[in-house]
């Protein structure tokens, strides 16, 4: 099945009020949908711009930012549920830090379906900043989602740098892995980029990265944001020789679009490719441990 995907290089903003956030979200979704996109991907922690609504006392405290944002959690869900239904598309709306009944927070990537249903993937591998400064906890479940376009999965930023996660999702049927990301250095951006390309190579699947861009000096969590969103593919016949189907301009504010061939295209390369990275994965374990 052919489907157009749009991955956002989304600019974090200082917002005047909730209405400004709604208007911005609606503009972004409408722009992608009107250009034919049926799958939309936003970056990790894009929702942190909502912390700008709560005043200077909140800006100075990471914990207060997280706490304040919980008052907008239900409105966030309602907004993107409405947009997915209105434009008959699948929206991965980046991530939102969600407080659990235990009091801990998880970095949650919600997936909004055109039929009004909602699902999510929690981040599993936490960065040093999340562990040591923000105290956001790891999720416990790795998922694969059924969609009208086939099975897909989500690796949240740092998750994409750990191959076993994507491998399990690929073996469970995922042909598309969405990677919402947020990185504050070029090195960080390239780490996630390299992880995405490696996951596409070894699993012979699509991996799509979305990047947060711009400056938010009022929040230590997302003060600097660097990246270029892209769609990565297997490196084999029928796909680009460099495995890059589309990539944005570094740090620009834009949608990046590409047409994906799910189902037949991925199955063909896995069955008839020049190499069999996906099929040959288990052969790695034949070799004994050195030393």
């Amino acid at each position: 099945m052919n489907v157009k995907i749009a991955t956002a290089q989304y600019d974090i903003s200082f917002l005047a009020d909730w209405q400004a956030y709604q208007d911005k979200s609606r503009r972004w979704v409408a722009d992608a949908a009107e250009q034919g996109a049926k799958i939309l991907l936003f970056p990790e922690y894009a929702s942190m711009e909502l912390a700008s609504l709560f005043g200077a006392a909140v800006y100075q405290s990471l914990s207060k930012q997280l706490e304040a944002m919980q008052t907008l959690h239900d409105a966030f869900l309602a907004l993107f549920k409405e947009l997915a239904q209105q434009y008959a598309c699948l929206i991965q709306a980046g991530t939102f830090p969600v407080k659990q009944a235990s009091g801990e927070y998880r970095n949650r990537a919600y997936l909004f379906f055109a039929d009004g249903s909602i699902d999510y993937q929690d981040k599993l591998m936490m960065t040093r900043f999340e562990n040591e400064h923000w105290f956001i906890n790891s999720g416990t479940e790795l998922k694969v989602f059924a969609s009208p376009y086939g099975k897909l999965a989500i690796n949240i930023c740092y998750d994409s740098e750990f191959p076993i996660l994507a491998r399990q999702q690929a073996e469970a049927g995922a042909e598309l892995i969405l990677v919402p990301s947020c990185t504050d250095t070029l090195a960080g951006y390239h780490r996630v980029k390299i992880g995405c390309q490696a996951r596409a190579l070894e699993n012979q699947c699509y991996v799509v990265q979305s990047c947060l861009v711009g400056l938010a000096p009022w929040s230590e969590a997302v003060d600097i944001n660097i990246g270029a969103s892209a769609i990565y593919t297997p490196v084999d016949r029928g796909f680009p020789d460099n495995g890059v189907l589309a990539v944005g301009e570094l740090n620009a504010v834009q949608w990046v679009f590409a047409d994906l061939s799910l189902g037949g295209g991925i199955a063909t390369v896995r069955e008839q490719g020049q190499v069999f990275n996906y099929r040959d994965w288990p052969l790695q374990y034949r070799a004994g441990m050195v030393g």
Side-chain angles (χ1 to χ4, degrees), residues 199-216:
R199 305 297 79 83
L201 170 71
E202 64 208 12
N203 295 302
Q204 293 180 294
C205 67
Y206 290 102
V207 179
V208 181
Q209 181 183 7
S210 177
C211 295
L212 194 63
V213 299
L215 303 177

Side-chain angles (χ1 to χ4, degrees), residues 19-247:
Q19 186 63 51
Y21 179 74
Q22 287 192 98
D23 292 345
K24 181 180 179 183
S25 299
R26 292 181 190 281
R27 285 196 305 271
W28 273 85
V29 172
D31 184 32
E34 288 167 3
Q35 295 185 64
K38 288 297 183 182
I39 303 174
L40 281 61
L41 173 61
F42 287 91
E44 180 186 34
Y45 289 129
S47 65
M48 285 304 299
E49 64 184 353
L50 290 169
S52 67
L53 302 180
F54 295 101
V58 170
Y59 309 156
Q60 296 166 9
S61 168
L62 290 174
S63 61
K64 288 181 179 179
Q65 289 179 34
L66 295 181
E67 189 67 36
M69 285 181 61
Q70 303 314 299
T71 65
L72 296 173
H73 177 248
D74 290 348
F76 172 87
L77 295 181
L79 172 62
F80 282 98
K81 177 180 177 178
E82 176 194 338
L83 290 171
Q85 291 178 297
Q86 178 181 352
Y87 290 99
C89 60
L90 183 67
I91 303 175
Q92 201 297 288
T95 71
F96 195 108
V98 180
K99 191 173 186 178
Q100 308 299 296
S102 64
E104 69 181 26
Y105 287 90
R106 292 186 182 171
N107 185 11
R108 181 160 292 175
Y110 284 106
L111 194 60
F112 297 87
F113 294 83
D115 65 2
S117 59
I118 305 172
D119 210 332
Y120 66 86
Q121 173 68 58
D122 286 336
K123 191 172 185 177
L124 300 176
M125 305 298 295
M126 313 313 293
T127 63
R128 288 191 63 190
F129 185 84
E130 288 168 315
N131 275 327
E132 299 171 14
H133 298 278
W134 219 359
F135 308 113
I136 295 181
N137 295 82
S138 171
T140 59
E141 185 180 4
L142 184 66
K143 298 182 179 181
V144 169
F145 307 94
S147 84
Y149 315 107
K151 291 184 177 181
L152 59 89
I154 300 171
N155 284 183
I156 302 172
C157 201
Y158 194 41
D159 289 345
S160 69
E161 299 176 35
F162 295 86
I164 300 302
L165 299 178
R167 183 63 194 183
Q168 291 180 80
Q169 292 166 319
E171 289 180 349
E175 296 186 349
L176 168 62
I177 298 175
L178 304 177
V179 181
S181 71
C182 172
T183 51
D184 62 358
T185 64
L186 270 175
Y189 157 63
H190 282 290
R191 280 194 296 269
V192 179
K193 172 183 178 290
I194 291 165
C196 290
Q197 289 195 269
R199 305 297 79 83
L201 170 71
E202 64 208 12
N203 295 302
Q204 293 180 294
C205 67
Y206 290 102
V207 179
V208 181
Q209 181 183 7
S210 177
C211 295
L212 194 63
V213 299
L215 303 177
W218 42 269
S219 175
E220 181 185 353
V222 287
D223 52 348
I224 301 171
N225 304 285
I226 295 171
S229 299
I231 297 95
Y232 302 111
T233 72
V235 185
D236 212 315
R237 61 165 59 100
F239 294 95
D241 290 337
N242 63 357
V244 181
L245 188 56
V247 62

Side-chain angles (χ1 to χ4, degrees), residues 253-268:
V253 179
Q254 64 181 121
W255 279 114
V256 179
F257 295 93
D259 292 314
L260 310 185
S261 177
L262 297 169
I266 295 298
T268 297

